[in-house]
Amino acid sequence: MRRIGVLGGTFDPIHAGHLALASAALEAAGLEKVDLVPSFSPPHRPSHRPAAHWHRFAMVVLATTDRPRLLASDREIRRAGISYMLETLRSYREDDTPAVPLLILGLDAFAELPSWREPEALVAEFDLLVASRPGVRKEEVLQGLPAWLRRRISPLPELSQPPAGAGRPCGGRIALFDMPPYTVSATEVRERLARKETIKSLVPEAVASYIVKYDIYGGGYPATGE
Ligand code: ATP
């Protein structure tokens, strides 16, 4: 069965940290590809009003055009409604060519997982790959986890193998791994735009041009200038 990574997020906008995370996960878990899945409507109300989902999706498409194994997925947008990750992961079973999805998360998102919809079902049914993120302390996150979540953490190499025991489906394992640090966040990109500062090097060039061309975050910013 094909193993593919699923990286969900608001992608408001997609940035270099998302791309580095997807690429690092691809290699770390020996995945065939990684789907980047912009949410239609995030379950937790963000502190700001996100850009329209079609713009967030378009930016993911632009950011991944020259990366053959990273794909923009519109499955949460097509489903509409609140974007619950458990539903998204289960939806892969209905595909014409079913694949086994592995959920990719940064450590900050992982720390929030207990507040997601049916988190115990999610971690029982699917494998998770959790990457380090600058400014988020691994030890603190681990200490704050409920026992039912902590006890599923296993060494990284295990994730690229099927679970021990004949016929056991993938799922139920969580691996943590360290990726090269990228301090960028979407909040930083939006804040820089608001201050009319450059976002060069934080997002791919095509995304920076798109933000300016369609004035995604308001104001006609010199997003690619110095
Ligand atoms: P915001 O600043 O608006 O909260 P964000 O930069 O955290 O956004 P999201 O779209 O919320 O981006 O994140 C999607 C996923 O990517 C999450 O699992 C998050 O942990 C991960 N992620 C985002 N940026 C990084 C980064 N720089 N390093 C590692 N993981 C990251």
Side-chain angles (χ1 to χ4, degrees), residues 214-226:
Y214 294 96
D215 198 13
I216 306 301
Y217 298 104
Y221 304 106
T224 52
E226 292 306 322

Side-chain angles (χ1 to χ4, degrees), residues 45-105:
R45 196 147 282 289
S47 51
H48 71 288
R49 190 189 162 89
H53 57 77
W54 58 86
H55 283 314
R56 293 183 285 107
F57 179 73
M59 291 189 279
V60 175
V61 171
L62 288 173
T64 52
T65 39
D66 56 355
R67 295 168 189 252
R69 289 161 74 199
L70 305 189
L71 286 99
S73 166
D74 62 356
R75 63 181 67 220
E76 290 193 349
I77 288 171
R78 271 188 287 120
R79 191 170 78 230
I82 298 177
S83 306
Y84 293 112
M85 185 46 75
L86 181 56
E87 269 181 68
T88 304
L89 295 171
R90 284 177 175 167
S91 74
Y92 281 85
R93 298 173 183 153
E94 316 304 324
D95 287 0
D96 290 341
T97 319
V100 180
L102 169 144
L103 179 63
I104 301 164
L105 297 160

Side-chain angles (χ1 to χ4, degrees), residues 6 14 18 62-63 74 87 101 111 156 174 187 206 217 219:
V6 174
I14 186 165
H18 294 128
L62 288 173
D74 62 356
E87 269 181 68
L156 178 61
I174 300 172
T187 304
Y217 298 104

Side-chain angles (χ1 to χ4, degrees), residues 7-11 15 17-18 21 105-106 108-109 132-133 182 184-187 190:
L7 172 56
T10 316
F11 298 107
H15 55 67
H18 294 128
L21 170 59
L105 297 160
D108 58 314
S132 54
R133 185 165 184 182
Y182 280 75
V184 56
S185 68
T187 304
R190 295 190 305 272

Side-chain angles (χ1 to χ4, degrees), residues 86-188:
L86 181 56
E87 269 181 68
T88 304
L89 295 171
R90 284 177 175 167
S91 74
Y92 281 85
R93 298 173 183 153
E94 316 304 324
D95 287 0
D96 290 341
T97 319
V100 180
L102 169 144
L103 179 63
I104 301 164
L105 297 160
L107 201 51
D108 58 314
F110 179 58
E112 300 298 320
L113 191 132
S115 69
W116 292 13
R117 170 178 270 195
E118 295 187 65
E120 296 190 47
L122 191 150
V123 297
E125 290 178 36
F126 300 97
D127 287 337
L128 272 60
L129 184 58
V130 181
S132 54
R133 185 165 184 182
V136 187
R137 295 166 66 97
K138 188 162 35 177
E139 298 317 317
E140 261 173 44
V141 170
L142 293 181
Q143 273 173 19
L145 293 178
W148 59 264
L149 195 51
R150 204 176 326 126
R151 74 182 161 78
R152 291 196 179 272
I153 295 175
S154 52
L156 178 61
E158 265 194 28
L159 272 196
S160 36
Q161 316 284 330
R168 260 193 66 200
C170 288
R173 299 169 298 175
I174 300 172
L176 308 185
F177 81 111
D178 290 320
M179 62 172 266
Y182 280 75
T183 53
V184 56
S185 68
T187 304
E188 184 194 354

Side-chain angles (χ1 to χ4, degrees), residues 27-51:
E27 298 311 320
L31 303 169
E32 182 182 302
K33 63 166 186 158
V34 173
D35 275 356
L36 289 88
V37 191
S39 56
F40 176 78
S41 175
H44 298 290
R45 196 147 282 289
S47 51
H48 71 288
R49 190 189 162 89

